[in-house]
Amino acid sequence: MLKSHLQQSTKSLIPWSTKPFIFSREILVFFPINILSNKNPRKNQKKNNFIVHYKAANSTKAVLSSTKKSMGVKLVVKVQKSVGGTNFGLSRGLDDLLGKSLLLWIVAAELDPKIGIEKPSIRIFANRGRDVDGETRYEANFVFPEDFGDIGAILVENEHKEMYVKNIVIDGSPHGKINITCNSWVHTKFEKRIFFTNKSYIPSQTPSGVKRLRERELVTLRGDGFGERKKYERIYDYDVYNDIGDPDGNDNGKRPVLGGKQLPYPRRCRTGRSRSKKDPLSELKSNFVYVPRDEEFSEVKSSTFSGYPFYSVLRAIVPALETVVSNSDLEFPQFLSIDSLFNVGIDVSRQGNKKKGMFDVVPRLIKAISDTQKSVSLFETPQLLQRDKFSWLGDVEFARQTLSGFNPFSIRLVTEWPFKSKLSPEVYGHPESAMTKELIELEIGGSMTVEEAVQQKKLFILDYHDLLLPYVNKVNELKRTVLYGSRTLFFLTHEGTLRPLAIELTRPPIDNKPQWKQAYFPSTWNATGGWLWKLAKAHVLAHDSGYHQLVSHWLRTHCATEPYIIATNRQLSAMHPIYRLLHPHLRHTMRINSFAREVLINANGIVETSFSLGKYAMEFSSAAYDLEWRFDQEALPQNLISRGLAVEDPNEPYGLKLTIQDYPFANDGLVLWDTLKQWVTNYVSHYYPQTILIESDKEIQAWRSEIKNVGHGDKKNEPWWPELKTPNDLIGIITTMIWVTSGHHAVVNFGQYIYAGYFPNRPTIVRTKMPTEDPTNEEWESFLNKPEEALLKCLPSQLQARQIIAVMDVLSNHPPDEEYIGEIIEPYWAEDPVINAAFEVFSGKLKELEGIIDARNVDSKLMNRNGAGVIPYELLKPFSEPGVTGKGVPYSISI
């Protein structure tokens, strides 16, 4: 009677959920304590007094007195404290009063061999215990039946406030210490969360006792595709980019939907928000943008984590800068005024933007001047300016950065001559280039003909002509921005460096004006030609900056990766080895992408107001996706081959011969690529020793199919999608994804402030047309009399420049808790001896890469990374200290 009374009393005091349990058979473990006592309930616990309650399916309840041996086992649940140090969950006093905080079910890995159904689960309560190293621990001691077998999973039901569960440790079982990595939010009673053990299984090898749970969890994560998503949900689903615009909030806020036949685009995570009243195709803006709960980092990571300063600077610093500059179109009066941004600063204390914690979040941007008690925006001097203040004016640095800057993905080998546009002549004018054979041979210096230069692989090009030309007339109708189609031609010298030969700028016909195009050339002996060349370079650099930000950076890393994240969570179980291989590379990206859609690439956001393409920026990225993006060419070797920068050669390291031997991005990138591929090869080969295991893996096949047909569904019929029939196929696919999220993103992101912090070196927008494009007499005379003023007027305005510098600074910053590739092993990998050994090799190779890069940077023969005033190429060094360092390769796209 006492035992029955205890059970009855407990259920009447605690309002357990009335939902049916997932399991039909369970063992209930209770502690022999008075839960209303103020005494510490753990003091009187005795292992031999535990009561085990057995609940059989479709039967009456009965108390078992098992004669089989059992063991006393301890369970600890580690819960992360919030950023401010407050514990998630109930207050200590109420926890002590109730004697429990978490309800857990321990699930056997295998079915009962005698009757072929799931074994009874062990149901226990975990009490709140100590706070240790920023964690709150919930503890339980319970009886572990000898015949229970291996543990397959643990179900967690949270009784109280949402909490972030880091891991669960079971110590004292017959199988030794068991670690279950969670790293997940557990909401209040909305579902029983399933956490599998750290041992990985492909579907065909799943232990029989957790097969149903494996399938059930995936069903939960997929959702049903209906309704607006709530903050606590973990549902992954697809949608088009219909949330860039804000038609209800701004007359100039409507933007086309990206995704579909007209504007192909990758898919983003579905939020299910209501539709706009003015534009039913667009989502309504709101203060909350859903991402699946486990993609959130802001309440768990410290305030120095990447997402915090990114969001803070755009929400706080940028508006402050707007109030400092009274005229948003005002240019800098002289270049000394630009220099003063880095040694004088501007007072923002009077702007009322001293929000709590803001100055701690972005310390590089805001300096407290103690003697004046002012808060001053004082930007750090970029490394480019520190090393050579005038390098940005020269052609050497202009050319070098195509190979060693933060956009080394655009330079291509010239394989055809003469250049000819593929666009319609009726719409865009004559297709022939203004770069004629005679003009180019004059620039080459008579050493060879153009045909010989092409044959000898001496000519290279930045070609934005046909990609930009359809947007030129539309953009030029906007206020204070000018666009052309452009080609920039380079010659490979015998020293292995590039020398600029010519720039061509084109404007298509408009109204009654015919097509305009002109070629410009370097000129050191002609003052007018020299200034026209400087202005032409500014236009090309703005084109390259726009392409870098919208295509090389946003589209090819952030945007293209989001479908991989969605498919991985929808189709691969959390116990799948490929899920666990990819997971560190997919962390935090969805949240940072949602931030970008709110304040960076949104209508009238930073990109639209400070880059040349204006409100057509995202349409342009769609055009680039349609014309250029191919999954197979996102792999570094295939990307280099596609641009003519390498050819296959089995006698060369990594099987490739580079067209430009001193190509720092390719030189270092191929070492990193090979290191990644070897790690992935060892990992995949361990779990897929036979080809049949790939073909029979229904999860991995569904994953590949969903990425192709849904996530990148606008390109589903392309013939270049890789097959997935063998382990080698999978190795290629996974290596490509990991490269994109790590090496590729590091290259295009973490050098931005170094090179673009001093914006004349990399202007993001040009605001005036070339002086030679249909000038009036007054315009031409003004240029001749004050060419420096013409250059200053064409560069970004004071407001645009300050905003871009601030954003570049934050984007280039590594937080103190950055997660670098290969630095710390994932718990899942560490518990498998084979994978643990492979990771040690992987980590060691990355450390070797650090030394390789250091050695290359001091080699005087490598002039694209060494020389007077030259910035060493370190963007692919795997590790870094915090801050803007121009090095460090994180696991994932987290900024």
Side-chain angles (χ1 to χ4, degrees), residues 269-552:
C269 183
R270 179 184 178 276
T271 66
R273 287 183 292 184
S274 301
R275 295 304 176 96
S276 161
K277 295 179 182 179
K278 293 184 179 180
D279 179 20
L281 295 178
S282 297
E283 274 191 353
L284 191 65
K285 289 291 184 182
S286 66
N287 293 327
F288 165 68
V289 180
Y290 169 80
V291 294
R293 192 65 181 104
D294 285 342
E295 303 297 332
E296 183 65 76
F297 51 69
S298 61
E299 295 172 60
V300 176
K301 284 285 184 181
S302 68
S303 61
T304 55
F305 184 68
S306 302
Y308 260 94
F310 174 75
Y311 203 64
S312 297
V313 72
L314 295 177
R315 288 296 194 192
I317 303 299
V318 169
L321 295 174
E322 291 177 353
T323 64
V324 171
V325 183
S326 57
N327 181 356
S328 61
D329 291 331
L330 188 66
E331 67 267 10
F332 287 91
Q334 54 189 344
F335 280 95
L336 285 175
S337 302
I338 298 174
D339 295 343
S340 70
L341 293 174
F342 306 100
N343 52 42
V344 177
I346 54 173
D347 179 12
V348 295
S349 57
R350 61 184 174 85
Q351 312 307 327
N353 282 288
K354 281 191 174 182
K355 296 180 180 179
K356 183 179 180 181
M358 188 183 73
F359 301 123
D360 295 327
V361 169
V362 280
R364 285 175 48 86
L365 298 182
I366 302 298
K367 304 291 182 69
I369 311 301
S370 58
D371 56 344
T372 61
Q373 296 299 307
K374 292 180 179 180
S375 293
V376 174
S377 172
L378 180 61
F379 301 107
E380 296 281 347
T381 303
Q383 193 176 349
L384 178 82
L385 217 56
Q386 292 176 13
R387 286 182 170 267
D388 185 348
K389 184 177 180 179
F390 303 106
S391 64
W392 68 276
L393 285 166
D395 291 343
V396 172
E397 187 65 15
F398 171 57
R400 190 188 73 84
Q401 288 181 27
T402 64
L403 303 173
S404 307
F406 60 75
N407 186 33
F409 289 94
S410 290
I411 191 75
R412 290 178 175 272
L413 176 70
V414 173
T415 56
E416 294 180 353
W417 183 270
F419 300 133
K420 190 173 183 179
S421 173
K422 295 180 173 60
L423 299 176
S424 169
E426 289 77 17
V427 178
Y428 298 103
H430 299 296
E432 291 79 13
S433 171
M435 294 183 185
T436 64
K437 171 181 169 67
E438 294 75 20
L439 290 172
I440 298 305
E441 288 180 351
L442 188 64
E443 290 299 317
I444 291 175
S447 59
M448 64 182 69
T449 65
V450 170
E451 291 79 9
E452 288 172 336
V454 171
Q455 185 179 13
Q456 295 178 32
K457 297 184 178 182
K458 291 288 188 178
L459 295 182
F460 296 83
I461 189 171
L462 287 179
D463 191 353
Y464 298 127
H465 188 275
D466 284 9
L467 198 58
L468 286 174
L469 210 59
Y471 295 91
V472 168
N473 288 336
K474 293 191 291 186
V475 168
N476 290 343
E477 292 177 354
L478 303 176
K479 182 182 178 182
R480 300 291 284 170
T481 181
V482 173
L483 189 67
Y484 298 107
S486 70
R487 297 185 180 103
T488 307
L489 190 64
F490 300 88
F491 181 81
L492 181 63
T493 70
H494 69 279
E495 294 175 319
T497 59
L498 293 178
R499 177 166 65 88
L501 295 179
I503 291 173
E504 177 183 12
L505 300 177
T506 304
R507 184 207 67 207
I510 183 172
D511 299 331
N512 295 322
K513 294 182 179 180
Q515 179 197 61
W516 175 89
K517 66 175 66 172
Q518 187 168 342
Y520 300 89
F521 304 93
S523 179
T524 57
W525 57 90
N526 179 311
T528 301
W531 278 103
L532 288 173
W533 175 250
K534 289 181 179 69
L535 288 163
K537 282 201 299 183
H539 280 275
V540 167
L541 287 166
H543 302 165
D544 194 56
S545 293
Y547 184 90
H548 158 263
Q549 204 65 263
L550 291 165
V551 182
S552 300

Side-chain angles (χ1 to χ4, degrees), residues 178-182 196-200 580 827-829 831:
I178 298 170
N179 294 292
I180 298 179
T181 302
C182 304
F196 299 106
T197 61
N198 285 3
K199 188 172 182 180
S200 302
R580 288 173 169 174
Y828 315 108
W829 308 340
E831 293 193 18

Side-chain angles (χ1 to χ4, degrees), residues 149-167:
D150 289 335
I151 294 174
I154 291 184
L155 277 69
V156 179
E157 184 175 284
N158 178 16
E159 290 295 293
H160 310 299
K161 184 180 177 182
E162 181 189 50
M163 60 178 62
Y164 187 82
V165 179
K166 295 182 68 177
N167 68 328

Side-chain angles (χ1 to χ4, degrees), residues 328-335 338 392-393 480-482 531 534-542 610 612 758-769 787-801 804:
S328 61
D329 291 331
L330 188 66
E331 67 267 10
F332 287 91
Q334 54 189 344
F335 280 95
I338 298 174
W392 68 276
L393 285 166
R480 300 291 284 170
T481 181
V482 173
W531 278 103
K534 289 181 179 69
L535 288 163
K537 282 201 299 183
H539 280 275
V540 167
L541 287 166
S610 299
S612 286
Y758 186 71
F759 66 89
N761 180 63
R762 298 283 305 185
T764 58
I765 188 171
V766 170
R767 302 184 302 140
T768 58
K769 65 185 179 69
E788 181 178 337
E789 186 177 288
L791 182 57
L792 284 165
K793 284 183 176 179
C794 94
L795 292 175
S797 70
Q798 292 193 36
L799 175 61
Q800 290 169 330
I804 286 298

